[in-house]
Amino acid sequence: KYEKIWLVFGLVSLILFLSIVGVSAFSHGHTPSGGMDTIDPKKVNETAPFDKPGVTQLDDDTYQVAIVALAFGYNAPELKVPAGKEIIFKVTSTDVVHSFTIDNTKVNMMVVPGQITTKSYTFDKPGKYLILCNEYCGAGHHLMSTEIEVY
Ligand code: CUA
């Protein structure tokens, strides 16, 4: 009678094992945010959200900021976001590797052509924050900066 118990035990562990493999494969294939999404660098200007760069309110507590980095600047209109709300930055590049770095914050994103880099951040204090490029990207590298206003 013990064989039957072991058979059941074996089957249960097999099913358990298969479902773990299945679940992890599924979750690796579907990383909704924080991961790298791909984008055609030549079609950035026609691909949402970069067809309308800038600030979009997603709901009461969440804002999205879409920005295109390119030599030698950041393509986005005036950036104004509220403090204490979640800001989801989505940045891509149309030419070479840049960074999207907000001074005095933990936002320091590498911006790679062909990829959308996503980072969520909440500003504690209102003020004007400097955005700059930390990645050497050519002769105009030091000119790459803009500003975000937190109110
Ligand atoms: Cu862009 Cu340095």
Side-chain angles (χ1 to χ4, degrees):
K1 51 182 175 209
Y2 282 113
E3 285 113 68
K4 212 170 187 181
I5 294 171
W6 282 115
L7 187 68
V8 170
F9 179 75
L11 270 176
V12 168
S13 21
L14 184 69
I15 290 165
L16 209 68
F17 173 76
L18 285 178
S19 50
I20 289 168
V21 169
V23 165
S24 58
F26 182 78
S27 56
H28 280 294
H30 301 259
T31 36
S33 64
M36 291 272 194
D37 288 318
T38 53
I39 185 169
D40 184 344
K42 290 187 197 75
K43 290 190 179 148
V44 163
N45 296 333
E46 356 175 332
T47 308
F50 304 105
D51 52 345
K52 289 188 197 107
V55 183
T56 315
Q57 184 166 6
L58 299 180
D59 60 44
D60 285 352
D61 299 307
T62 323
Y63 290 73
Q64 177 180 274
V65 178
I67 291 158
V68 180
L70 67 166
F72 295 102
Y74 296 98
N75 181 11
E78 210 178 26
L79 299 173
K80 283 186 180 181
V81 294
K85 306 275 184 185
E86 184 186 11
I87 315 295
I88 300 167
F89 291 97
K90 287 189 179 239
V91 193
T92 191
S93 165
T94 50
D95 44 32
V96 296
V97 176
H98 300 278
S99 92
F100 180 85
T101 305
I102 307 178
D103 210 19
N104 292 319
T105 70
K106 285 183 182 139
V107 180
N108 186 12
M109 304 156 71
M110 198 170 181
V111 184
V112 180
Q115 291 179 347
I116 301 169
T117 311
T118 303
K119 167 106 185 156
S120 162
Y121 189 74
T122 303
F123 292 93
D124 301 328
K125 282 183 249 149
K128 285 187 174 175
Y129 294 76
L130 185 66
I131 296 171
L132 39 90
C133 180
N134 257 345
E135 200 73 39
Y136 184 75
C137 52
H141 164 69
H142 63 284
L143 300 173
M144 267 189 92
S145 74
T146 187
E147 212 176 46
I148 185 165
E149 190 182 334
V150 179
Y151 57 87

